[in-house]
Amino acid sequence: MERWKGRVALVTGASVGIGAAVARALVQHGMKVVGCARNVDKIEKLAAECQSAGYSGTLIPYKCDLSCEEDILSMFSAIKTLHQGVDVCINNAGLAHNEPLLSGKTDGWRNMIDVNVLALSICTREAYQSMKERNVDDGHIININSMGGHRVVPSADEHFYCATKFAVTALTEGLRQELREAKTHIRATCISPGIVETEFAFRHHNSDPEKAAAVYESIKCLKAQDIASAVTYVLGTPPHVQIGDVQMRPVEQVS
């Protein structure tokens, strides 16, 4: 991770869970981290904690609604003005709604596509353009995917969410191919966790907190820090090493 000191990383969905853990880890390794979310109060608190801990990097909170392309473009413009551009893009933000294929609401489906697929793609495009215009040839784009992007969970509440994550799997491999065609050494990686103990299930099952709690009580889950460790591992590999997809589950997880 030594070569990333002082470089700029964007982490989407950085207020809680995996995003917050990744942002903290990158700051700890000396990076300038722009952490974005719709609500930046928790990111501001995390930035203060990082500063108090004496980490060598910095965390810069940025308010951004990732379902709005104008917000994303404004964020990249601000990063260019204040920090020259993005060297590492961690597309972490994602969400799920209980909207089955046979009875789900279109608004819920659209919101999942907007955040899980389109926002990720827009951030990827803008990050690549930022790297290209500055002749950054060692950048890295990391998509936080899900095991749901590799197999369909037998639960109607998860099916549309899984579809968006299958899209992330395809987008990451497509990105890798386009980067090779462009003859760059910018890398693309997908990290696909199984069950991670965060606020995700409580947001997903917001009308049934007992169901959400049961998800995390059934087995010893992954922690957000486990995913952050995977991110720093991937970033820390030599520049000639391309890690395409990291699939990680709790040992006790069945599928």
Side-chain angles (χ1 to χ4, degrees), residues 2 14 111 119 122 126-127 135 155 197 201-202 205:
E2 193 68 25
N111 189 220
I122 296 166
E126 297 304 310
N135 296 315
S155 168
E197 189 173 355
F202 290 96
H205 302 292

Side-chain angles (χ1 to χ4, degrees), residues 20-21 57 75 122 134 143 149 166 198:
M75 175 175 65
I122 296 166
R134 292 175 298 121
N143 295 329
F166 266 78
T198 64

Side-chain angles (χ1 to χ4, degrees), residues 20 75 128 184 208 229:
M75 175 175 65
Y128 170 71
T184 81
D208 191 352
S229 296

Side-chain angles (χ1 to χ4, degrees), residues 167-184:
V168 173
T169 301
L171 289 167
T172 308
E173 173 57 16
L175 173 63
R176 186 195 68 79
Q177 292 180 17
E178 290 191 25
L179 290 170
R180 296 294 71 76
E181 289 170 8
K183 301 190 184 307
T184 81

